[in-house]
Amino acid sequence: MHLVDRHSSRSSTERADEGPAKAADRILVNDLRRHASSTETAVRTAVERVLSSGWYILGQETESFERDFADFCGTSHCVGVANGTDAIEIGLRALGIGPGSRVATVANAGFYTTTALLLLGAEPVFVDVDPDTKLMDLAQLERIVDHDRLDAVVVTHLFGLLHDMEAVLEVATRARVPVFEDCAQSHGARRGRRCAGSFGAAAAFSFYPTKNLGALGDGGAVVTGDAEMAARLRQLRQYGWESKYRVGVRGGRNSRLDEIQAAALRAKLPFLNDWNRRRRDIATRYSREIVHPQVRCPAVHGEEFVGHLYVVVCDEREALRARLAEASVATDVHYPVPDHHQAPLAARGDGVRLPVTEELAGSIVTLPCYPELSDAEVTRVISCINTW
């Protein structure tokens, strides 16, 4: 798999056998060249500021971005790290998750949380998902907490849809377990006045380039309202140091958000709400105007949805993808293999069954959805599907 396939980047790069006209006409799942053009002046200025400063790791740019992003999320603290998976691992470690811990999570979100849990020596306890929202099925979570031991719940706001966190917290509070939010796809999603990342004990964000707020490379952060946890996070991201060269806690690592990434993110942050509105407008058009009987679209949402990915369900997935490819419209699948079917876990043979997750894995299709997509291109995608 190419790196760009990971989060629907240029998963649809130009093929060698395509002519220039056809390639230029192609609608990508996500076009980072267009995105870069839209913020080029602001980002170039930020990067040049770092280059002239002579300070490239854990400096003023990182501190400023951490402060700005914490304010944006409505939390007291933000700790920048090297990538989103590190954010989950370090965040859960700071919560006390380690060998033998049992953590509830979903299996339809690309193995990223599961990767972090396995690195911690923890055991993922998979919960099936709702067939419509594709988010964690809270009725099943309730059954698990009533009959099993859990040490934490990781709630993934998949595809940009913020879960009903009041309902999640009600279940978790009864079970006396902390909630950790995976906000890798939900930057800026809101319910009422509260933003994704502000509900749980802590939350992880990824700034992979295709995210709603993306860096120029890898980057991540953990946000929290707990000052003691923020202090642990800062130790864990840098070797476990309590002071320079003096290690105070186990489990530390080298995972730091560098100054160039922090500066670029800080330059882009003021645009995020407008980008999210555009994503939501595109998603709304898709949901209202795609009327093919074999294509099931998600519901129309408000600010709780930021359109990171627009995912439909179609039992004839490959035929639909072929039809769109013929029209030079790229698609992707997020995600084709549930976590419990991935080789490292399938070998355990523990008989985990997640019927909704498994059915969706065989029928979901991701359509192009990014802020720079034109109205005419959205119309073309809709027409292509409706005439299939």
Side-chain angles (χ1 to χ4, degrees), residues 42 46 56 62 74 89 91 108 112 121 126 128 186 204-205 250 263 331 359:
Y56 306 133
T62 300
E89 180 195 347
N108 68 329
Y112 304 117
F126 292 118
D128 211 351
S186 60
F205 285 85
R250 289 189 178 190
T331 58
E359 182 178 352

Side-chain angles (χ1 to χ4, degrees), residues 4-20:
V4 291
D5 289 333
R6 181 179 166 206
H7 294 299
S8 76
S9 174
R10 294 182 63 83
S11 57
S12 36
T13 49
E14 189 175 323
R15 279 176 25 194
D17 59 344
E18 289 179 334

Side-chain angles (χ1 to χ4, degrees), residues 199-243:
F199 294 89
F205 285 85
S206 168
F207 302 122
Y208 187 80
T210 59
K211 300 300 186 182
N212 292 45
L213 180 64
L216 304 180
D218 272 318
V222 185
V223 300
T224 181
D226 186 327
E228 290 185 6
M229 183 170 183
R232 288 196 298 275
L233 291 165
R234 294 185 192 282
Q235 283 185 281
L236 289 167
R237 76 171 171 187
Q238 187 164 236
Y239 313 116
W241 282 357
E242 58 184 14
S243 61

Side-chain angles (χ1 to χ4, degrees), residues 88-139:
I88 299 172
E89 180 195 347
I90 291 170
L92 288 173
R93 191 183 295 277
L95 274 179
I97 299 303
S101 297
R102 292 172 53 80
V103 179
T105 186
V106 292
N108 68 329
F111 210 76
Y112 304 117
T113 292
T114 299
T115 295
L117 291 173
L118 295 180
L119 288 169
L120 290 165
E123 180 183 353
V125 179
F126 292 118
V127 186
D128 211 351
V129 298
D130 179 271
D132 296 321
T133 66
K134 301 157 187 79
L135 304 180
M136 183 179 285
D137 183 335
L138 296 188

Side-chain angles (χ1 to χ4, degrees), residues 286-321:
Y286 281 153
S287 291
R288 288 178 174 165
E289 298 178 35
I290 293 174
V291 293
H292 195 288
Q294 292 190 58
V295 180
R296 301 187 294 282
C297 296
V300 173
H301 294 287
E303 289 188 324
E304 70 276 12
F305 180 60
V306 291
H308 174 65
L309 295 172
Y310 187 85
V311 177
V312 300
V313 177
C314 179
D315 293 335
E316 300 294 329
R317 176 169 72 194
E318 295 312 312
L320 174 60
R321 296 189 73 191

Side-chain angles (χ1 to χ4, degrees), residues 213-278:
L213 180 64
L216 304 180
D218 272 318
V222 185
V223 300
T224 181
D226 186 327
E228 290 185 6
M229 183 170 183
R232 288 196 298 275
L233 291 165
R234 294 185 192 282
Q235 283 185 281
L236 289 167
R237 76 171 171 187
Q238 187 164 236
Y239 313 116
W241 282 357
E242 58 184 14
S243 61
K244 192 172 182 180
Y245 304 135
R246 293 185 179 274
V247 177
V249 296
R250 289 189 178 190
R253 59 187 306 161
N254 178 9
S255 181
R256 300 171 295 203
L257 182 67
D258 70 66
E259 288 286 277
I260 286 179
Q261 302 308 336
L265 291 166
R266 189 177 169 211
K268 289 183 175 187
L269 183 58
F271 300 95
L272 179 55
N273 285 330
D274 286 340
W275 289 337
N276 286 344
R277 276 190 286 272
R278 176 58 182 163

